[in-house]
Amino acid sequence: AQTVTQSQPEMSVQEAETVTLSCTYDTSESDYYLFWYKQPPSRQMILVIRQEAYKQQNATENRFSVNFQKAAKSFSLKISDSQLGDAAMYFCAYRSPYNNDMRFGAGTRLTVKP
Amino acid sequence: ETGVTQTPRHLVMGMTNKKSLKCEQHLGHNAMYWYKQSAKKPLELMFVYSLEERVENNSVPSRFSPECPNSSHLFLHLHTLQPEDSALYLCASSQERTGTRSYEQYFGPGTRLTVT
């Protein structure tokens, strides 16, 4: 079964600085999808960015970008120009196209310091 | 209403009570999910309804019973719960098997359940 590991339980960043959150996963599949979700204190889980494994180009959404290293099974999230509203739990997730199972990491709590 | 909604947002129940959690998705999706989120643990997938078929996680105790009357509504019926069942219960939906190849799930705000 696929597993997702987030090795950083907590991270902090100064406002306007850049921070990178780490995620690794284990799979034997060649086709899959990876996601980063954000869960602010209000609890609504929000999709931040997604990456299809068959695409070599790293996904980017405004200030959010990923570094997808398929061979290393690594999927890190970079947040540029951090804002106070970025403070939240961030979850990395793996999805196989062959079933409905979405596997989540344990999460990284990001604190943004003014 | 837009997105995925859940009611109630907070629920306190005794171990002998029977209650139900409700989820509704307004996205036209064809799959719905129940997750359990406990402190310091990854999200645990409990149940999936996809294309009107139920995919059950066999490790979920029978005191949790899902119901999906149509593609927009999902319920989680609770009875004789234990204190360790206290958690945030999240509902999600997605669009499956239509060639869109996106597979992301959209979440509701959750129901904070406390079992006393």
Side-chain angles (χ1 to χ4, degrees), chain A residues 25-45:
Chain A
Y25 56 94
D26 184 29
T27 185
S28 59
E29 297 174 334
S30 59
D31 189 19
Y32 48 86
Y33 302 85
L34 298 166
F35 306 92
W36 278 98
Y37 281 89
K38 169 186 177 182
Q39 188 178 35
S42 65
R43 306 180 313 200
Q44 188 101 29
M45 192 89 74

Side-chain angles (χ1 to χ4, degrees), chain B residues 44-69:
Chain B
E44 301 171 54
L45 179 64
M46 299 177 71
F47 299 105
V48 180
Y49 277 85
S50 180
L51 299 173
E52 301 181 6
E53 291 184 3
R54 175 177 167 182
V55 178
E56 186 168 355
N57 183 330
N58 293 330
S59 66
V60 179
S62 59
R63 56 186 183 268
F64 295 92
S65 176
E67 178 189 1
C68 189

Side-chain angles (χ1 to χ4, degrees), chain B residues 65-115:
Chain B
S65 176
E67 178 189 1
C68 189
N70 54 60
S71 61
S72 299
H73 294 86
L74 185 65
F75 295 89
L76 187 63
H77 304 299
L78 317 171
H79 65 97
T80 60
L81 294 190
Q82 303 299 310
E84 60 264 29
D85 297 322
S86 298
L88 182 67
Y89 288 84
L90 293 169
C91 174
S93 70
S94 68
Q95 184 64 21
E96 300 293 306
R97 302 184 191 176
T98 59
T100 61
R101 294 185 66 88
S102 55
Y103 295 109
E104 63 261 31
Q105 295 179 8
Y106 294 83
F107 286 81
T111 295
R112 173 67 64 185
L113 174 66
T114 303
V115 181

Side-chain angles (χ1 to χ4, degrees), chain A residues 42-61:
Chain A
S42 65
R43 306 180 313 200
Q44 188 101 29
M45 192 89 74
I46 303 166
L47 177 66
V48 175
I49 198 166
R50 68 170 176 268
Q51 175 80 42
E52 291 92 341
Y54 66 90
K55 291 185 177 179
Q56 292 185 334
Q57 186 174 4
N58 289 324
T60 299
E61 290 285 343

Side-chain angles (χ1 to χ4, degrees), chain A residues 3-79:
Chain A
T3 58
V4 179
T5 302
Q6 293 179 250
S7 60
Q8 306 153 316
E10 296 184 355
M11 291 282 285
S12 68
V13 62
Q14 205 71 33
E15 194 176 6
E17 298 294 310
T18 296
V19 65
T20 299
L21 308 184
S22 301
C23 173
T24 58
Y25 56 94
D26 184 29
T27 185
S28 59
E29 297 174 334
S30 59
D31 189 19
Y32 48 86
Y33 302 85
L34 298 166
F35 306 92
W36 278 98
Y37 281 89
K38 169 186 177 182
Q39 188 178 35
S42 65
R43 306 180 313 200
Q44 188 101 29
M45 192 89 74
I46 303 166
L47 177 66
V48 175
I49 198 166
R50 68 170 176 268
Q51 175 80 42
E52 291 92 341
Y54 66 90
K55 291 185 177 179
Q56 292 185 334
Q57 186 174 4
N58 289 324
T60 299
E61 290 285 343
N62 300 314
R63 298 182 295 107
F64 298 87
S65 62
V66 299
N67 184 4
F68 173 49
Q69 301 290 327
K70 190 172 184 179
K73 298 180 182 177
S74 171
F75 182 61
S76 60
L77 175 70
K78 186 173 81 171
I79 306 174

